Amino acid sequence: MNRKELIGALAAKTGSTKADADRNIAALIEIITATLKKDDNVALVGFGTFEVRKRAARTGRNPATGAELKIKASKVPAFKAGATLKAAVNGAKK
C-alpha cells in the first residue's frame, strides 16, 4: 500500500474527504518526525513504538575497490511492533 492508497483507505474508513485524510496523515508523519528528532519515542499501545537507535562508528569496505573506510556514528529511526500487531499479522487473536 502506498501513500495514495492509504489516503483513500483512511477517507473511506472515517467517512472524510481524501483531502482531510491527506492532511491527517501528513500531520501524523510530521508529529512522529519531530518527536524522533528530539530523541523521544512515540508509543502506540497495541500497535508499536517508533524510536531512535544509535549506531556506533565502524569500519566498512568500498565494494568496488575493497578499500576500508570509516563510517561515522549515526542515529536511525526504528519501529518495534507491539504484541497486538504481531498477533494480528500472525492470524492470532489477542
Side-chain angles (χ1 to χ4, degrees), residues 40-75:
D40 207 357
N41 295 342
V42 177
L44 304 171
V45 176
F47 182 71
T49 303
F50 295 92
E51 60 190 11
V52 177
R53 294 183 184 155
K54 292 175 177 45
R55 281 193 164 172
R58 61 197 189 277
T59 303
R61 271 195 197 280
N62 180 335
T65 64
E68 284 191 359
L69 53 107
K70 293 187 189 269
I71 302 171
K72 294 180 182 178
S74 63
K75 295 186 275 184

Side-chain angles (χ1 to χ4, degrees), residues 2 6-7 19-20 28 35-36 40 42 49-50 52 55 57 59 61 65-66 85 89 94:
N2 61 30
L6 180 60
I7 290 167
D20 286 340
L28 178 64
T35 303
L36 293 178
D40 207 357
V42 177
T49 303
F50 295 92
V52 177
R55 281 193 164 172
T59 303
R61 271 195 197 280
T65 64
L85 178 59
V89 169
K94 175 89 177 159

